[in-house]
Amino acid sequence: MSKDSVTVPSFHPAVAPDVTKQPRMSWLLGHRPAVRVAVQDVLSAIVAYVVGSILLCIGGAHGIIPVWISVSLISAYIVCWGTVYVLVRSGWSQRLADPHLTFVRVFIDLGAMTLAHALVPIVRGATLQLLCAMMAFYMGRLNQRQILGTSFMAVCLMLATLLGLWLTQPEHITLSVEILNLVMCSVLLPIAGFVGGEVYRIYQRSAAQRDQLQLTLTQLNHLSTRDSLTDLANRRHMLTLLDEEIRRQRRNGQTFCIGLLDIDLFKLVNDTHGHPVGDQVLKGFANLATRSIGAADTLARWGGEEFLLLLPVDNLDQAHDALTQLHEAVRRHDWTQYAPDLQLTFSAGLAEHDQHEPLDALLERADRALYRAKQLGRDRTELAIPATSHTDDVPMPSFEPAAPRPCPDAPPPRTSTRIAHPAWAAPTLDDAPPSNTGWLYNLSTIVMGHHLDMRDRVRLMLAAMLGFGFWVITLHLYAIPQGLMPAELGYFMIAYMVLSTLGCYALIRSGVTRAWRDPQIAQGQLINACLIGVVCYLHAPALRAVLLQSMCVVLIFGMVSLRPRQTRVVGITAIALMMGVLLWQLALPPANINLTSEGMKVALACFIFLQISVFSYNASRLRSLMLRERGVLTKAVETVQDLLVHDTLTGLYNRTHLMSLLERERQRAICSQRPFCVAMIDLDHFKRINDSHGHQVGDAVLIEFAQLSRDVLRDIDVMGRWGGEEFLVILPDTEPGPQCLMGPERLRERFASHTLPGHPGVHMSFSCGVADFRPDDTLAHTLQRADQALYAAKNAGRNRCMLAH
């Protein structure tokens, strides 16, 4: 991204999109963008029910599920989701606070799972997986509290279903297995809820960051195209507009004119009334001119007290009428509101662009016409010599301001824009380290570390350790004693989980993995967890439901810990492992397995794994996009801050930032009794350089002076552009008296002996006034003393430095 400008996307009329074209699949999704987004969200949820209905049909066809149950459940799905679709597709839901009907869909999901759990025994093991898939789907849509509330509601419904089955059909359930399923559900779902809270924060931060990026780019575009004092277009932006006008003229032949305006005797205004009054006069002139010109005309601050007016008119007479009106408006305006007895006029040079004329030549003709207006007495507009003429001696008519024409309506002047502090840059409660609260703080520091990145990595590792820890306790205290898993395999798995988990924690906490591509070792840990789950699935049939739910939770962890490519690797690995389980079971004797039942279970598990992997991939992509946008936003903020404090031409500090630095230096001088001085510098005869050699040479002089000041002045000295050809230097730790003249004198001698590259005939020098700051004085008075010393140096013959009294 360039510091100088921001490219704003635009459409050429020839390739502009056809707004009359109907959006695709409008019969299904609707026409309104908000309705289409909501309908797409609903349809993405219906996909799971379509797959579930297919499995119910297969189960009914093979006698695994009673037909009446399959028909009843499918009918209930159609009625509920058909109603939701109609409400969303019709746009009725847009009047609600939740146009996607998220909570209605959550209740439908919970009700469907509860019915399936109660009526379909083969689905009971998959209910836990479906709950995980449902939570993964709503992550980003619900915050952590809402997800935990949904989890609590799901556990309560499962408990109620278990009690109902135990009271009505105790012979159809294995109580120990159902209790284990319920306990694991009550533990694993909150862990998934923790991950859901992280995902929701990612979505919220991404949305806030995207809004901040848009705001910052808008501010950057404003600052890079507007003058900070007058809020007119700046010189850079005006050059862009002039290039566009030239291309338009070559395309359709429509001509345009430019007027180069210069406020008469503005230097005298600054010298007599001070720079603050001069700034108010410039802003007043800019506001008055903006109201006076036509809506299609564009006024820009060209430099100092010079302005350039772009007039896309048909002929030179219309352009002259516009300047005549502006002359009259300036004459009638009450300038005494800024200073007593103040009167203001301006001179202008007007030029019409020839179709084959370069921009530099057009600007030079307007500049010469302006110079001629100054020589002929000011307060007038002079026409430039036509581009086809090659002599400067041809007398051109001059125009005195005539009667004004009616002023067209124009928009009010723009107000300046201030950069907002990015919300993402400030630490949030989740990002900030814990406050010092005694032993709790010390314990959290020992476990998680000080650095924020380290704490984020360890926090997710601790959540994973909680899940493994609960499995260790469950195997040791329940599964192995109840005979749900072989003892040898159970204790081997306990040892393996403890060692692998502690080993990963040690690597992460020690910082060894900080430089790794995957500092959380997330991909390896998740694949390892899936492998553990598959091994236990093969040897502990009674634990298959909770094992599959655990694998779902493992895949959910990928939402906040994996890169997009890694989520695909882990998802494919989990699905491949389940397919391997099915192949392993096919190799067993047929008497030991119901292929249809096991095939449906594996197919459902693979579909749920695929769904969660897709959700995880989308969340990972969002995190990656957010990181990239954060980089863009950081650069944009830096550029905005640079534009706020630096002058765009010289790269020195601008006047606004200089005032803040002066205030800081004043406070330091008062508190620490450390002296400082200020030097006010004005380039001698700079107006003559502009008039004789053109503004491009004048800009080169300013840039060259800024570079010399960096080379000559001390590192602690602060140089800034005060306005036009005036500069201010802050000289810290400088005693009053002859010492404060040493730095400015070195710079003056170097500048006077320096030759502008490519322009040996340009003579350069400056005058300078230096004043020391006194603790009992104000900054305004100190600057006034320096300005008076500068004025004395000018009267004494220029090219010298003088000390204020």
Side-chain angles (χ1 to χ4, degrees), residues 62 78 111 115 220 408 425 428 597 625 697 749 758 775 804:
H62 288 79
I78 294 174
L115 287 175
L220 176 58
T428 63
S597 175
L625 178 63
V697 175
E749 294 173 359

Side-chain angles (χ1 to χ4, degrees), residues 3-285:
K3 279 183 164 185
D4 296 335
S5 63
V6 174
T7 301
V8 179
S10 60
F11 291 101
H12 191 279
V15 295
D18 184 7
V19 296
T20 62
K21 185 178 180 180
Q22 295 294 332
R24 291 186 301 177
M25 300 184 69
S26 58
W27 58 271
L28 178 67
L29 303 177
H31 297 275
R32 295 165 54 191
V35 172
R36 291 176 65 88
V37 171
V39 171
Q40 288 174 345
D41 190 34
V42 171
L43 293 179
S44 64
I46 292 178
V47 171
Y49 284 86
V50 172
V51 174
S53 299
I54 293 173
L55 293 177
L56 286 174
C57 291
I58 294 174
H62 288 79
I64 301 175
I65 304 173
V67 176
W68 71 271
I69 292 180
S70 299
V71 173
S72 300
L73 290 176
I74 293 174
S75 301
Y77 298 161
I78 294 174
V79 170
C80 292
W81 283 102
T83 303
V84 170
Y85 172 79
V86 170
L87 293 177
V88 174
R89 172 63 179 82
S90 64
W92 182 87
S93 64
Q94 295 297 318
R95 68 186 69 180
L96 304 178
D98 180 17
H100 292 213
L101 301 180
T102 304
F103 278 106
V104 174
R105 291 154 52 189
V106 167
F107 289 132
I108 293 175
D109 290 340
L110 292 177
M113 293 178 196
T114 303
L115 287 175
H117 186 81
L119 299 176
V120 186
I122 194 175
V123 179
R124 289 173 189 165
T127 303
L128 304 181
Q129 305 167 55
L130 293 171
L131 285 172
C132 289
M134 181 194 73
M135 294 186 63
F137 180 82
Y138 290 113
M139 288 179 182
R141 298 168 173 84
L142 303 177
N143 59 34
Q144 189 170 26
R145 179 179 297 179
Q146 292 168 332
I147 291 179
L148 291 176
T150 303
S151 303
F152 177 75
M153 190 183 306
V155 172
C156 292
L157 289 174
M158 286 191 63
L159 177 60
T161 304
L162 177 59
L163 290 175
L165 292 173
W166 180 63
L167 292 175
T168 59
Q169 302 176 6
E171 69 280 1
H172 290 92
I173 63 171
T174 305
L175 189 59
S176 60
V177 174
E178 294 297 335
I179 291 176
L180 178 61
N181 291 342
L182 180 64
V183 172
M184 292 301 294
C185 182
S186 63
V187 173
L188 294 178
L189 285 183
I191 294 177
F194 164 79
V195 179
E198 294 291 322
V199 174
Y200 181 79
R201 279 189 285 270
I202 290 174
Y203 275 86
Q204 293 297 105
R205 291 173 185 172
S206 176
Q209 182 174 287
R210 195 163 299 172
D211 293 341
Q212 183 65 44
L213 177 60
Q214 184 62 40
L215 174 62
T216 303
L217 291 178
T218 302
Q219 293 171 329
L220 176 58
N221 187 53
H222 179 87
L223 290 173
S224 62
T225 59
R226 315 304 296 181
D227 175 64
S228 59
L229 177 64
T230 62
D231 204 45
L232 298 174
N234 59 20
R235 185 168 184 169
R236 184 193 308 106
H237 186 51
M238 176 55 76
L239 289 173
T240 302
L241 296 178
L242 289 172
D243 287 336
E244 292 177 357
E245 285 295 329
I246 291 175
R247 288 195 297 269
R248 184 180 295 109
Q249 184 189 35
R250 290 172 180 172
R251 186 168 58 248
N252 56 28
Q254 182 181 358
T255 186
F256 69 93
C257 300
I258 64 168
L260 195 58
L261 287 60
D262 186 277
I263 299 178
D264 297 327
L265 304 175
F266 185 75
K267 179 68 175 173
L268 185 61
V269 175
N270 274 338
D271 293 340
T272 304
H273 304 287
H275 287 280
V277 173
D279 289 347
Q280 293 299 319
V281 169
L282 288 175
K283 290 192 286 188
F285 179 82

